[in-house]
Amino acid sequence: MLLIIFCLFIAVVAVQFLYYVVFFGKFSFAKKQTSTPKRIPISVIVCAKNEEENVKQFVPLLLEQDYPDFEIVLIDDASSDETLEIFEAFEKQYSNIKLVKVENNEAFWGNKKFALTLGIKAAKNEYLLFTDADCYPTSKDWIKEMSSNFSQQKTIVLGYGAYEKIKGSFLNKMIRFETLLTATQYFGWAKLGKPYMGVGRNMAYKREEFFKTNGFIEHMKIRSGDDDLFINEASNSQNTTICFSKESFTFSKPKTTFSEWFTQKRRHVATAKHYKAFDRSQLALFYLSQLLFLILPIILLICQFQWIVVLSLIGFRYLFTWISLGLAAGKLNEKDVMYWFPFIEIALIFIQLNVFITNTFSKPVHWK
């Protein structure tokens, strides 16, 4: 039995090497991006529901973008606070703002995808750039950087949506490490020609891609997934590229309590079960290899079975994961979380397990 566990442990390390070095390594070891700025008209789309404080602060930052031709489509999804009134004031003040008012609809009650569909149809430009109401760009060149990756073939651009740093918060480090790991995964697979997700905090696509898939119709009844489920359906090796220049990042305010973040993770995991079969399988295999890497060596070391080899394999695994994620962290400006890497990784593995178990017995809450 110990021999079987030992052989399984070797296989787990091999799988981890395949993921971190081969798959994720396509992004981690990628050279710095160089792109040619373009002057294509862009529509920036922001959907908000009860976000009065955030839109007051962040819409002005969008208006400061250094780009020659862009409009901002502000979508108020039947807010009950002052969001609509703030949007109306912006619309009166700025000629490049278009307001879309969404009223509650019995068939699509509280469905963000319905609101986004109305905004996409209202946009005057073919190239669409998306962010959330609680997000803001890191630079005045955000639109320029994201739009520069469009080409005749590449009509979907996946960007990076970071979270603000909170000094002295271990939860914040966990949130940002998990965001780093997720981005390393979807960037790596995209560069391999197997894109499977993106984040609505920072992504762009040509409107024709939206209509090719009949919008969100295939997953309209699923309350979440306006970003990742759409990309999972619409993207392929020919039409998708990534943008990871630091001027292209957006920032969001992170959750500040564990319960809020745990609820957010439950939504993400519940959405992922609707991915294509291959994408579900590769994500499941990666997580299983993460979990088994923690469990199997403990059994072998307790029994002192080939302990020198086991310790060597553990060291080897941490070496290549640290290198791969460390390089990715450098590209995404998240180097500080790598100092806590082993502790955060272990915590996340068991939190993920808890999420799976909790979602099995109850459904997560989605759009506000």
Side-chain angles (χ1 to χ4, degrees):
M1 179 60 71
L2 287 175
L3 180 60
I4 293 174
I5 294 174
F6 178 68
C7 292
L8 182 57
F9 177 58
I10 294 175
V12 165
V13 173
V15 169
Q16 290 267 289
F17 183 85
L18 193 65
Y19 271 94
Y20 279 100
V21 177
V22 179
F23 301 156
F24 306 164
K26 290 293 288 184
F27 168 66
S28 297
F29 302 112
K31 295 180 180 179
K32 185 177 179 180
Q33 280 186 313
T34 56
S35 56
T36 304
K38 298 179 177 65
R39 300 175 64 88
I40 53 177
I42 297 289
S43 291
V44 177
I45 297 183
V46 182
C47 186
K49 188 176 183 70
N50 299 328
E51 295 275 8
E52 57 180 336
E53 293 304 320
N54 285 326
V55 298
K56 279 181 188 176
Q57 185 177 357
F58 299 145
V59 171
L61 298 180
L62 298 178
L63 289 162
E64 293 175 359
Q65 286 293 296
D66 184 13
Y67 196 76
D69 188 358
F70 74 99
E71 69 166 352
I72 300 175
V73 180
L74 300 176
I75 309 166
D76 174 64
D77 189 11
S79 296
S80 57
D81 64 0
E82 299 297 316
T83 298
L84 177 58
E85 288 76 8
I86 295 168
F87 278 175
E88 288 175 334
F90 279 128
E91 184 184 36
K92 290 178 182 178
Q93 188 175 359
Y94 298 97
S95 60
N96 63 333
I97 284 185
K98 179 178 293 183
L99 176 58
V100 177
K101 304 175 186 179
V102 181
E103 297 181 359
N104 281 323
N105 181 300
E106 186 175 347
F108 302 106
W109 189 273
N111 193 324
K112 184 181 179 183
K113 294 173 185 175
F114 174 66
L116 277 172
T117 299
L118 297 182
I120 289 169
K121 290 182 177 180
K124 71 176 182 180
N125 299 317
E126 285 300 306
Y127 290 91
L128 314 175
L129 177 55
F130 296 82
T131 191
D132 287 340
D134 62 347
C135 295
Y136 60 93
T138 57
S139 78
K140 294 182 180 181
D141 294 324
W142 171 57
I143 297 178
K144 180 172 69 176
E145 290 293 319
M146 289 292 288
S147 65
S148 68
N149 289 274
F150 280 120
S151 68
Q152 190 171 1
Q153 295 78 30
K154 302 301 182 181
T155 51
I156 297 176
V157 182
L158 308 179
Y160 182 57
Y163 284 103
E164 291 178 343
K165 298 179 182 181
I166 300 177
K167 190 175 181 180
S169 170
F170 186 73
L171 173 63
N172 180 256
K173 288 181 173 61
M174 279 206 303
I175 292 172
R176 291 191 295 113
F177 177 85
E178 193 268 344
T179 304
L180 162 67
L181 179 59
T182 300
T184 303
Q185 288 178 267
Y186 70 76
F187 280 160
W189 281 105
K191 287 186 74 66
L192 273 169
K194 295 290 291 182
Y196 72 92
M197 70 160 284
V199 293
R201 301 188 302 275
N202 195 7
M203 60 187 288
Y205 51 81
K206 197 173 181 181
R207 183 158 41 187
E208 67 181 27
E209 295 293 349
F210 184 77
F211 291 115
K212 279 181 186 178
T213 62
N214 291 317
F216 304 122
I217 196 67
E218 290 298 318
H219 46 88
M220 182 64 83
K221 292 182 179 180
I222 303 168
R223 300 290 286 276
S224 58
D226 55 276
D227 46 10
D228 54 345
L229 288 183
F230 173 77
I231 294 299
N232 196 256
E233 181 182 10
S235 64
N236 56 56
S237 59
Q238 284 76 42
N239 68 0
T240 304
T241 187
I242 66 174
C243 181
F244 56 91
S245 62
K246 293 181 180 179
E247 294 79 12
S248 71
F249 298 168
T250 61
F251 272 111
S252 303
K253 292 184 177 296
K255 304 298 182 184
T256 55
T257 67
F258 180 81
S259 61
E260 289 178 330
W261 179 60
F262 188 78
T263 300
Q264 183 184 56
K265 295 315 301 171
R266 288 186 60 198
R267 291 198 300 267
H268 295 167
V269 170
T271 304
K273 71 179 183 180
H274 300 286
Y275 290 175
K276 294 173 185 174
F278 173 82
D279 302 317
R280 294 197 309 270
S281 298
Q282 67 89 357
L283 288 169
L285 178 60
F286 175 66
Y287 174 73
L288 181 61
S289 71
Q290 296 277 83
L291 183 62
L292 290 177
F293 177 77
L294 289 184
I295 296 173
L296 297 181
I298 292 175
I299 298 172
L300 294 170
L301 290 173
I302 289 174
C303 297
Q304 296 186 358
F305 185 86
Q306 297 287 347
W307 65 271
I308 295 178
V309 178
V310 171
L311 287 176
S312 299
L313 287 172
I314 292 172
F316 176 60
R317 186 268 180 185
Y318 275 112
L319 177 63
F320 66 70
T321 53
W322 218 315
I323 291 172
S324 179
L325 283 179
L327 290 171
K331 289 182 173 67
L332 301 179
N333 203 28
E334 303 284 10
K335 286 183 178 180
D336 62 302
V337 301
M338 292 305 298
Y339 298 121
W340 296 85
F341 164 54
F343 307 104
I344 294 176
E345 182 189 44
I346 292 170
L348 283 175
I349 289 170
F350 288 107
I351 290 170
Q352 190 87 335
L353 182 62
N354 193 2
V355 167
F356 288 142
I357 294 171
T358 306
N359 278 6
T360 302
F361 296 100
S362 65
K363 293 182 179 180
V365 177
H366 294 290
W367 184 237
K368 304 171 186 177

